[in-house]
Amino acid sequence: MEGIESQKLHHGSLYWPTTLPPSQIPSYPSLEGQITAEVAIIGGGITGALCAAVMARSGIKTVLVEGNRVASGSTAANTGLLQFSNDIMLNELAEKIGEAEAVRFYGECRKALVSLAQLDEDIPFETGFHVRSSLYCASTSSDVPKLFKEYSMLRKHGFPVEWGSPHNVGHHLPIRKPAALVTHGDAEINPVKFAHGLIAEAAQKGALIYEHTKVQEVKRVGEKFVITTDFGEIIANRVVRAVGYVPGVSNSTQLKPILKRSYALVTPANSLPDAWPYDCMMWETARPYFYFRTTPDGRLIAGGMDENQADPVTDTDYLVKRTQLLLAELRKLFPGNHWEAEHAWCGTFGESEDDLPFLGETPEQPGIFHALSCGGNGTVYGMIAAEMLRNRILGLDHPMDALLAPKRQIQNRETVLRSV
Ligand SMILES: Cc1cc2nc3c(=O)[nH]c(=O)nc-3n(C[C@H](O)[C@H](O)[C@H](O)COP(=O)(O)OP(=O)(O)OC[C@H]3O[C@@H](n4cnc5c(N)ncnc54)[C@H](O)[C@@H]3O)c2cc1C
């Protein structure tokens, strides 16, 4: 089994784990012996957690195995912004795949936000889920036309969006940008609490959860899969690979996202500028983009400065330099405010050539469902993955089956699935 050490996915001082005292973190046994299930989910990050919660709610016998601790991988580095808008703008996606299909995809992302809110309602503790608006700023004057084009297309298709300068988009925002649009109906979460909540709820509904249980091999034997772990074995009808960005299980086709690293920081409690509305997140048109959100205790979580490197930086001096650059962005936006970082980290994330996630089965491996989120909207894609999986098991189609299939062809592009 190739490395699945969570420390390889992030480095630095993470914030979310500090919000859950160790005594309150649910723990699960490791798997010993043989068990059977309808669905075996590999990976206990937010994606696996969403799949487990949806399976358990549908009464489907499920087992989830996590090689480390639940929510210790990329999910622990996730800054928790949930948006129906994606790294690829609606109008850009429309140019690639046609307007109708692009609008369907954006519509599914919007529906996913509603489903995430519904799941949150059943979690018996606070997960930091709050509905938010997003201020999408033009980074430069030359980006204003493309942002206006985006606004026009979102509005034409009934997405909740407003246009204007930051001063007339519904909030009196204390920052200066050439133009901005605001989308409504987005949200923020504490991804570690949310993943723990989903898994605890799935367990309560009958799902079996195992930590410190690495999958070594997945083999098809007749109609079933035999999933071999360190000290046990699962016999299942279906396998879900929610393994995130680390190399996965040997002997199976794997998806190879383009790996990058990104940086994030969290300011001390009660450090928000008075004039900033706590219910508004911010991002921009530049790629890579700078973004921030708030927390209920008055912190600001900011991120960006992505680099084309797969491994998170481990050099502390370099991490400090990148953190200073994030702080400098905040100073530019809020010149009167004193900014400092209480937590700062670097994490690996994946992108795809067409900016879409890989969700579903491949023709070569029926029964193995890939749930690989790509880009900055991984949680929303995890929700779509869980609903696609449920439909597949119930024998129903899902509107995103073809568009997000792991093996797909997008206009003039090679198939984006690559075997490793
Ligand atoms: C700095 C940063 C900020 C981000 N911000 C956001 C954001 O604001 N919003 C958003 O939606 N997304 C964001 N993302 C992306 C987001 O982190 C991911 O899309 C999402 O959390 C991935 O979740 P996951 O469950 O797919 O992967 P992971 O959380 O990595 O979970 C996969 C799990 O699989 C386990 N695993 C792997 N192989 C095996 C095996 N063989 N056996 C058993 N277990 C195995 C791993 O141990 C791991 O715990 C951000 C990413 C970074 C780095």
Side-chain angles (χ1 to χ4, degrees), residues 53 59 75 82 98 118 126 134 155 168 174 183 222 304 306 322 340-341 376:
T75 297
L82 312 177
Q118 285 165 350
E126 166 67 23
S134 299
R155 192 182 146 98
N168 64 8
T183 52
D306 305 0
R322 300 303 282 182
E340 59 181 305

PDB file of all heavy atoms in Angstrom, residues 53 59 75 82 98 118 126 134 155 168 174 183 222 304 306 322 340-341 376:
ATOM      1  N   ALA A  53     -23.236   8.734   5.007  1.00  0.00           N
ATOM      2  CA  ALA A  53     -24.478   9.298   5.567  1.00  0.00           C
ATOM      3  C   ALA A  53     -25.654   9.044   4.623  1.00  0.00           C
ATOM      4  O   ALA A  53     -26.742   8.661   5.070  1.00  0.00           O
ATOM      5  CB  ALA A  53     -24.307  10.796   5.815  1.00  0.00           C
ATOM      6  N   GLY A  59     -30.940   3.184   3.977  1.00  0.00           N
ATOM      7  CA  GLY A  59     -31.091   1.815   4.476  1.00  0.00           C
ATOM      8  C   GLY A  59     -30.172   0.823   3.777  1.00  0.00           C
ATOM      9  O   GLY A  59     -30.447  -0.373   3.753  1.00  0.00           O
ATOM     10  N   THR A  75      -9.437  16.849   4.257  1.00  0.00           N
ATOM     11  CA  THR A  75     -10.593  17.451   4.931  1.00  0.00           C
ATOM     12  C   THR A  75     -10.160  18.343   6.105  1.00  0.00           C
ATOM     13  O   THR A  75     -10.804  19.359   6.382  1.00  0.00           O
ATOM     14  CB  THR A  75     -11.537  16.314   5.408  1.00  0.00           C
ATOM     15  OG1 THR A  75     -11.997  15.644   4.230  1.00  0.00           O
ATOM     16  CG2 THR A  75     -12.710  16.809   6.225  1.00  0.00           C
ATOM     17  N   LEU A  82     -18.530  26.584   0.917  1.00  0.00           N
ATOM     18  CA  LEU A  82     -19.403  25.784   0.053  1.00  0.00           C
ATOM     19  C   LEU A  82     -20.114  26.746  -0.898  1.00  0.00           C
ATOM     20  O   LEU A  82     -20.843  27.620  -0.439  1.00  0.00           O
ATOM     21  CB  LEU A  82     -20.450  25.037   0.881  1.00  0.00           C
ATOM     22  CG  LEU A  82     -19.969  24.262   2.116  1.00  0.00           C
ATOM     23  CD1 LEU A  82     -21.156  23.649   2.853  1.00  0.00           C
ATOM     24  CD2 LEU A  82     -18.983  23.184   1.714  1.00  0.00           C
ATOM     25  N   GLY A  98     -21.446  23.407 -23.772  1.00  0.00           N
ATOM     26  CA  GLY A  98     -22.796  23.854 -24.161  1.00  0.00           C
ATOM     27  C   GLY A  98     -23.520  24.446 -22.961  1.00  0.00           C
ATOM     28  O   GLY A  98     -23.317  24.004 -21.820  1.00  0.00           O
ATOM     29  N   GLN A 118     -29.679  19.928   4.576  1.00  0.00           N
ATOM     30  CA  GLN A 118     -30.604  18.922   5.147  1.00  0.00           C
ATOM     31  C   GLN A 118     -29.839  17.899   5.987  1.00  0.00           C
ATOM     32  O   GLN A 118     -30.268  17.516   7.066  1.00  0.00           O
ATOM     33  CB  GLN A 118     -31.380  18.226   4.033  1.00  0.00           C
ATOM     34  CG  GLN A 118     -32.469  19.119   3.451  1.00  0.00           C
ATOM     35  CD  GLN A 118     -33.014  18.611   2.124  1.00  0.00           C
ATOM     36  OE1 GLN A 118     -32.467  17.687   1.527  1.00  0.00           O
ATOM     37  NE2 GLN A 118     -34.073  19.235   1.653  1.00  0.00           N
ATOM     38  N   GLU A 126     -23.373  21.026  16.810  1.00  0.00           N
ATOM     39  CA  GLU A 126     -23.089  22.179  15.951  1.00  0.00           C
ATOM     40  C   GLU A 126     -21.901  21.865  15.030  1.00  0.00           C
ATOM     41  O   GLU A 126     -20.837  21.462  15.499  1.00  0.00           O
ATOM     42  CB  GLU A 126     -22.794  23.378  16.874  1.00  0.00           C
ATOM     43  CG  GLU A 126     -22.165  24.568  16.249  1.00  0.00           C
ATOM     44  CD  GLU A 126     -23.065  25.277  15.248  1.00  0.00           C
ATOM     45  OE1 GLU A 126     -24.317  25.131  15.344  1.00  0.00           O
ATOM     46  OE2 GLU A 126     -22.517  25.959  14.392  1.00  0.00           O
ATOM     47  N   SER A 134     -21.667  35.042  -1.215  1.00  0.00           N
ATOM     48  CA  SER A 134     -20.263  35.136  -1.662  1.00  0.00           C
ATOM     49  C   SER A 134     -20.087  36.370  -2.528  1.00  0.00           C
ATOM     50  O   SER A 134     -20.837  36.570  -3.490  1.00  0.00           O
ATOM     51  CB  SER A 134     -19.876  33.928  -2.519  1.00  0.00           C
ATOM     52  OG  SER A 134     -19.991  32.747  -1.789  1.00  0.00           O
ATOM     53  N   ARG A 155     -27.818  35.154 -14.003  1.00  0.00           N
ATOM     54  CA  ARG A 155     -29.134  35.787 -13.838  1.00  0.00           C
ATOM     55  C   ARG A 155     -30.140  35.233 -14.847  1.00  0.00           C
ATOM     56  O   ARG A 155     -31.279  34.929 -14.508  1.00  0.00           O
ATOM     57  CB  ARG A 155     -28.963  37.301 -14.024  1.00  0.00           C
ATOM     58  CG  ARG A 155     -30.154  38.081 -13.604  1.00  0.00           C
ATOM     59  CD  ARG A 155     -29.904  39.545 -13.876  1.00  0.00           C
ATOM     60  NE  ARG A 155     -31.147  40.170 -14.256  1.00  0.00           N
ATOM     61  CZ  ARG A 155     -31.908  40.844 -13.424  1.00  0.00           C
ATOM     62  NH1 ARG A 155     -31.536  41.010 -12.194  1.00  0.00           N
ATOM     63  NH2 ARG A 155     -33.042  41.378 -13.826  1.00  0.00           N
ATOM     64  N   ASN A 168     -22.869  48.580  -3.549  1.00  0.00           N
ATOM     65  CA  ASN A 168     -24.317  48.520  -3.776  1.00  0.00           C
ATOM     66  C   ASN A 168     -24.798  47.108  -4.077  1.00  0.00           C
ATOM     67  O   ASN A 168     -25.748  46.908  -4.790  1.00  0.00           O
ATOM     68  CB  ASN A 168     -24.742  49.490  -4.883  1.00  0.00           C
ATOM     69  CG  ASN A 168     -24.145  49.113  -6.221  1.00  0.00           C
ATOM     70  OD1 ASN A 168     -23.538  48.065  -6.346  1.00  0.00           O
ATOM     71  ND2 ASN A 168     -24.327  49.953  -7.211  1.00  0.00           N
ATOM     72  N   PRO A 174     -16.323  47.241   3.181  1.00  0.00           N
ATOM     73  CA  PRO A 174     -15.236  48.200   3.328  1.00  0.00           C
ATOM     74  C   PRO A 174     -14.055  47.911   2.412  1.00  0.00           C
ATOM     75  O   PRO A 174     -12.929  48.246   2.744  1.00  0.00           O
ATOM     76  CB  PRO A 174     -14.849  48.023   4.797  1.00  0.00           C
ATOM     77  CG  PRO A 174     -15.096  46.581   5.047  1.00  0.00           C
ATOM     78  CD  PRO A 174     -16.259  46.183   4.186  1.00  0.00           C
ATOM     79  N   THR A 183     -23.340  36.153  -4.978  1.00  0.00           N
ATOM     80  CA  THR A 183     -24.256  35.023  -5.082  1.00  0.00           C
ATOM     81  C   THR A 183     -24.812  34.747  -3.685  1.00  0.00           C
ATOM     82  O   THR A 183     -24.118  34.959  -2.687  1.00  0.00           O
ATOM     83  CB  THR A 183     -23.551  33.763  -5.612  1.00  0.00           C
ATOM     84  OG1 THR A 183     -22.380  33.517  -4.824  1.00  0.00           O
ATOM     85  CG2 THR A 183     -23.156  33.922  -7.071  1.00  0.00           C
ATOM     86  N   GLY A 222     -15.942 -13.324  -8.571  1.00  0.00           N
ATOM     87  CA  GLY A 222     -17.316 -13.578  -9.026  1.00  0.00           C
ATOM     88  C   GLY A 222     -18.095 -12.278  -9.043  1.00  0.00           C
ATOM     89  O   GLY A 222     -17.642 -11.268  -9.576  1.00  0.00           O
ATOM     90  N   GLY A 304      -5.161  30.804  -0.385  1.00  0.00           N
ATOM     91  CA  GLY A 304      -4.724  31.056  -1.766  1.00  0.00           C
ATOM     92  C   GLY A 304      -3.244  30.759  -1.910  1.00  0.00           C
ATOM     93  O   GLY A 304      -2.705  29.888  -1.235  1.00  0.00           O
ATOM     94  N   ASP A 306      -1.675  29.369  -4.324  1.00  0.00           N
ATOM     95  CA  ASP A 306      -1.458  28.001  -4.810  1.00  0.00           C
ATOM     96  C   ASP A 306      -0.153  27.905  -5.609  1.00  0.00           C
ATOM     97  O   ASP A 306       0.224  28.838  -6.309  1.00  0.00           O
ATOM     98  CB  ASP A 306      -2.605  27.557  -5.735  1.00  0.00           C
ATOM     99  CG  ASP A 306      -3.966  27.685  -5.077  1.00  0.00           C
ATOM    100  OD1 ASP A 306      -4.031  28.103  -3.914  1.00  0.00           O
ATOM    101  OD2 ASP A 306      -4.957  27.369  -5.753  1.00  0.00           O
ATOM    102  N   ARG A 322       4.930  32.420   2.815  1.00  0.00           N
ATOM    103  CA  ARG A 322       3.652  32.367   2.078  1.00  0.00           C
ATOM    104  C   ARG A 322       2.527  32.940   2.952  1.00  0.00           C
ATOM    105  O   ARG A 322       1.620  33.604   2.452  1.00  0.00           O
ATOM    106  CB  ARG A 322       3.293  30.935   1.665  1.00  0.00           C
ATOM    107  CG  ARG A 322       4.289  30.248   0.773  1.00  0.00           C
ATOM    108  CD  ARG A 322       4.584  30.965  -0.502  1.00  0.00           C
ATOM    109  NE  ARG A 322       3.586  30.838  -1.554  1.00  0.00           N
ATOM    110  CZ  ARG A 322       3.697  31.387  -2.769  1.00  0.00           C
ATOM    111  NH1 ARG A 322       4.766  32.118  -3.090  1.00  0.00           N
ATOM    112  NH2 ARG A 322       2.749  31.248  -3.672  1.00  0.00           N
ATOM    113  N   GLU A 340      -2.827  39.357  11.913  1.00  0.00           N
ATOM    114  CA  GLU A 340      -1.823  38.353  12.252  1.00  0.00           C
ATOM    115  C   GLU A 340      -2.440  36.967  12.128  1.00  0.00           C
ATOM    116  O   GLU A 340      -3.669  36.831  12.143  1.00  0.00           O
ATOM    117  CB  GLU A 340      -1.264  38.565  13.660  1.00  0.00           C
ATOM    118  CG  GLU A 340      -2.330  38.504  14.724  1.00  0.00           C
ATOM    119  CD  GLU A 340      -1.759  38.729  16.119  1.00  0.00           C
ATOM    120  OE1 GLU A 340      -0.829  38.003  16.494  1.00  0.00           O
ATOM    121  OE2 GLU A 340      -2.271  39.621  16.813  1.00  0.00           O
ATOM    122  N   ALA A 341      -1.584  35.948  12.002  1.00  0.00           N
ATOM    123  CA  ALA A 341      -2.090  34.578  11.835  1.00  0.00           C
ATOM    124  C   ALA A 341      -1.902  33.803  13.133  1.00  0.00           C
ATOM    125  O   ALA A 341      -0.813  33.776  13.701  1.00  0.00           O
ATOM    126  CB  ALA A 341      -1.333  33.892  10.711  1.00  0.00           C
ATOM    127  N   GLY A 376     -11.585  23.710  -5.814  1.00  0.00           N
ATOM    128  CA  GLY A 376     -11.875  24.303  -4.505  1.00  0.00           C
ATOM    129  C   GLY A 376     -13.259  24.001  -3.977  1.00  0.00           C
ATOM    130  O   GLY A 376     -13.658  24.533  -2.938  1.00  0.00           O
TER     131      GLY A 376
END
